[in-house]
């Protein structure tokens, strides 16, 4: 019991950060996925690798340099999609591969070593109070942006041309959304890892979409499912002594499959 309390005390900031990230992802998820940009988190996570390497050349904590670099990359992806004929997935793939390639080249010239395992699977240990406040600020900004721009974001998501014709500044809203997504990815990479961060954005909407009848349902159900899955995943990760990010993603998958079967089998019988 004493060991558990000590572990919780050390991981308290990391646990709260992952829960806040889950809520943030649940808010971003419907807009990202429905805009055919499901893999943007995966692409930006590769860019964040290069951004962290660049940051090592300047300061001891490259995280703060990585944020603006990834935000610019996220906005650039939006620009490519909007002003070229490149499809969303292709634009993400281009920026992702170029960013990762730059990172692999630059890392050879750094004197500092990067913990690749932590970068891949995330690390909840020794997250600071500053990290917590930064994540909370991101959740707050994302919530306020979606609340005050809800109707405009819905219009942009489902009918881009109509939104543009109606006088909505679609580019501005897209770029703000891209910036929020970029910050989310950089923070998320430190906690859940490069290879798993996209799962936080994809699973909430695909899971909630099984039962949602209205768009707000996607946000509400996605948030509830995320909090439950992340909380149980963190507990199981501690018990099994496995990386929290990996356990959370596997649990997300299991929950989705179970709910999918419930809808297809049980609900069909009822109907």
């Amino acid at each position: 019991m004493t060991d558990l309390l000590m572990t919780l005390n050390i991981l308290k900031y990391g646990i709260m950060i992952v829960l806040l990230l889950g809520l943030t992802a649940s808010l971003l998820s419907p807009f990202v996925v429905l805009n055919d940009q499901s893999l943007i988190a995966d692409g930006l996570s590769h860019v964040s690798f290069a951004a962290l390497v660049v940051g090592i050349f300047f300061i001891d904590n490259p995280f703060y340099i990585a944020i603006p670099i990834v935000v610019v990359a996220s906005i650039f992806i939006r620009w490519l999609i909007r002003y070229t004929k490149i499809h969303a997935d292709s634009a993400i793939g281009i920026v992702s591969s170029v960013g990762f390639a730059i990172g692999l080249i630059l890392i050879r010239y750094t004197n500092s070593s990067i913990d690749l395992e932590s970068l891949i699977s995330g690390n909840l240990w020794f997250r600071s109070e500053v990290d917590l406040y930064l994540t909370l600020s991101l959740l707050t900004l994302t919530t306020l942006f979606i609340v005050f721009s809800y109707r405009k974001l819905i219009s942009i998501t489902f009918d881009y041309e109509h939104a543009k014709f109606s006088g909505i500044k679609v580019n501005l809203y897209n770029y703000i959304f891209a910036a929020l997504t970029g910050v989310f990815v950089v923070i998320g990479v430190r906690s859940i890892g490069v290879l798993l961060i996209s799962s936080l954005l994809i699973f909430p909407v695909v899971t909630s979409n099984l039962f949602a009848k209205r768009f707000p349902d996607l946000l509400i159900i996605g948030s509830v499912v995320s909090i439950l899955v992340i909380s149980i995943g963190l507990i199981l990760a501690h018990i099994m002594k496995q990386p929290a990010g990996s356990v959370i993603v596997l649990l997300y998958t299991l929950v989705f499959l179970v709910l999918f079967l419930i809808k297809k089998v049980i609900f069909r019988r009822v109907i």
Side-chain angles (χ1 to χ4, degrees):
M1 186 65 180
T2 305
D3 292 339
L4 176 60
L5 292 176
M6 288 181 61
T7 302
L8 289 176
N9 184 56
I10 295 173
L11 292 176
K12 61 183 178 182
Y13 291 131
I15 292 172
M16 288 187 283
I17 286 171
V18 175
L19 289 171
L20 292 174
L21 283 173
L23 285 174
T24 305
S26 301
L27 297 176
L28 295 173
S29 179
F31 300 101
V32 170
V33 174
L34 293 176
N35 274 305
D36 296 325
Q37 296 181 38
S38 303
L39 296 178
I40 190 167
D42 186 57
L44 291 177
S45 66
H46 288 76
V47 175
S48 69
F49 167 67
L52 289 169
V53 175
V54 171
I56 290 174
F57 286 101
F58 298 98
I59 56 177
D60 293 331
N61 191 347
F63 172 72
Y64 299 106
I65 288 185
I67 289 179
I69 294 176
V70 175
V71 166
V72 170
S74 182
I75 293 174
F76 181 62
I77 289 174
R78 287 279 188 174
W79 183 87
L80 281 177
I81 296 170
R82 175 68 184 88
Y83 291 103
T84 70
K85 295 181 179 180
I86 300 175
H87 191 267
D89 290 340
S90 299
I92 293 169
I94 290 171
V95 175
S96 169
S97 57
V98 170
F100 198 65
I102 292 173
L104 289 175
I105 292 173
L106 292 179
I107 198 172
R108 296 169 60 89
Y109 299 97
T110 62
N111 295 324
S112 177
S113 60
I114 293 179
D115 187 351
L116 293 180
E117 183 178 354
S118 296
L119 194 62
I120 292 172
S121 59
N123 186 0
L124 298 180
W125 294 88
F126 307 115
R127 293 278 77 89
S128 67
E129 193 173 357
V130 175
D131 295 329
L132 175 62
Y133 287 141
L134 183 61
T135 311
L136 181 60
S137 298
L138 174 62
L139 174 60
T140 303
L141 288 174
T142 302
T143 303
L144 291 174
F145 176 63
I146 291 176
V147 168
F148 289 106
S149 309
Y150 181 76
R151 293 186 179 278
K152 294 177 181 179
L153 290 174
I154 291 291
S155 181
I156 294 171
T157 300
F158 290 101
D159 196 339
Y160 182 88
E161 293 301 327
H162 174 73
K164 186 178 179 180
F165 181 77
S166 301
I168 298 174
K169 297 179 180 179
V170 292
N171 288 337
L172 175 63
Y173 285 98
N174 281 336
Y175 291 151
I176 293 175
F177 199 87
L180 292 172
T181 305
V183 176
F184 164 79
V185 169
V186 179
I187 296 174
V189 162
R190 298 219 304 177
S191 300
I192 198 171
V194 168
L195 298 181
L196 304 175
I197 185 64
S198 61
S199 300
L200 279 184
L201 276 180
I202 295 174
F203 274 110
V205 68
V206 298
T207 304
S208 59
N209 195 44
L210 293 173
F211 300 99
K213 295 182 179 180
R214 303 174 301 123
F215 191 86
D217 294 341
L218 294 176
L219 301 173
I220 297 171
I221 297 174
S223 298
V224 173
V225 171
S226 292
I227 291 300
L228 291 175
V229 168
I230 291 173
S231 299
I232 296 172
L234 289 171
I235 295 172
L236 291 176
H238 174 72
I239 295 173
M240 300 167 62
K241 301 187 184 304
Q242 298 295 328
S246 301
V247 175
I248 290 171
V249 171
L250 290 176
L251 189 57
Y252 258 129
T253 306
L254 179 61
V255 169
F256 171 76
L257 292 176
V258 170
L259 293 178
F260 177 79
L261 290 175
I262 289 174
K263 180 179 181 180
K264 291 297 181 182
V265 178
I266 299 178
F267 277 36
R268 181 175 293 180
R269 289 180 180 177
V270 173
I271 294 174

